[in-house]
Each structure stands twice: as structure tokens, then as C-alpha cells.
Amino acid sequence: MRSTRRRERLEADDANGYYYENGLFHHCLYRASHNAFLTDEATRLHAILKPYRRLQLHVRHRMHSSYAEHEAIVAAIEAGDAAAAEQALKDHVHIQGERFTDLVANIERLHDSACF
């Protein structure tokens, strides 16, 4: 589940490439749940949030934080530590909510600098 391509996009400071790889990572997690309903709902929500998800990666340090959060999730899953995986996932979602305020505050600057 670890992605060399995600790391390469991170190291290249390629927010758009990271966004693509990030989406693949999330969909891999959804499928790994082996829960069709959860996979469908998470995929639906992921699609609805696409514009926000793309822009938020342009917030300073967000790609690095996102990568670290994902690594914590993967490490917990690989260790078979369900409680740690659950907490890492909750933390990741919670941080996204907190970062939304930052995004709104910087939306104009981000829109001007983002490549669409």
C-alpha cells in the first residue's frame, strides 16, 4: 500500500501529481475494507469533495502532513493494530476539517496559484 509514486510527487513538490496518487491511495483503502457499502459511500464522498481536496494540497506543508498521516495509517494496518489504524484515520479526517478553515481563509491566493 506504500506508494513510491506518492513520495516522488511529494519530493517533486507536484501537488497535482500528488493529488492523483493520493486519490489512488484512498481508493485502495476503500477497497481493502471489503465492505461494498463503505467503499461506495467513501467513493461518492471523495468525488463530492474533489475540488476542496485538490486545493487543500496547495496549503503550505499540507502535502507533507498528508503523506505522514497516510504513512501512520499504513503502518498501523501493517502492524495489525486496528485501534491505532482507527485513531490514525480519525485524526486524518479531523485534520482535514481543521484545515478547511485555513483553505477558506486563503482561497483566493490558492485559486490564483493552482494549475487547473
Side-chain angles (χ1 to χ4, degrees):
M1 213 184 291
R2 295 190 193 267
S3 172
T4 304
R5 289 180 299 214
R6 253 185 322 117
R7 178 170 269 303
E8 288 170 355
R9 298 300 57 143
L10 173 70
E11 291 172 353
D13 198 29
D14 176 4
N16 292 322
Y18 185 88
Y19 169 80
Y20 174 77
E21 296 298 333
N22 184 52
L24 295 176
F25 173 81
H26 279 247
H27 289 290
C28 180
L29 282 179
Y30 306 157
R31 287 189 310 275
S33 73
H34 302 289
N35 180 324
F37 175 78
L38 178 62
T39 299
D40 290 346
E41 289 302 300
T43 299
R44 185 181 64 77
L45 184 57
H46 191 104
I48 291 168
L49 295 174
K50 264 185 160 182
Y52 163 67
R53 296 175 65 81
R54 178 180 289 275
L55 276 177
Q56 60 96 22
L57 290 173
H58 292 275
V59 172
R60 193 161 108 161
H61 304 298
R62 183 62 203 136
M63 272 195 306
H64 289 276
S65 298
S66 170
Y67 186 84
E69 292 158 19
H70 290 167
E71 289 298 290
I73 293 164
V74 171
I77 291 170
E78 288 177 340
D81 188 340
E86 177 184 1
Q87 189 60 55
L89 286 161
K90 285 180 178 179
D91 290 346
H92 181 57
V93 170
H94 182 75
I95 288 167
Q96 293 288 18
E98 287 178 346
R99 298 302 298 190
F100 183 74
T101 305
D102 293 340
L103 177 67
V104 170
N106 292 295
I107 196 79
E108 187 173 317
R109 181 184 59 78
L110 290 171
H111 185 270
D112 292 343
S113 67
C115 298
F116 294 102

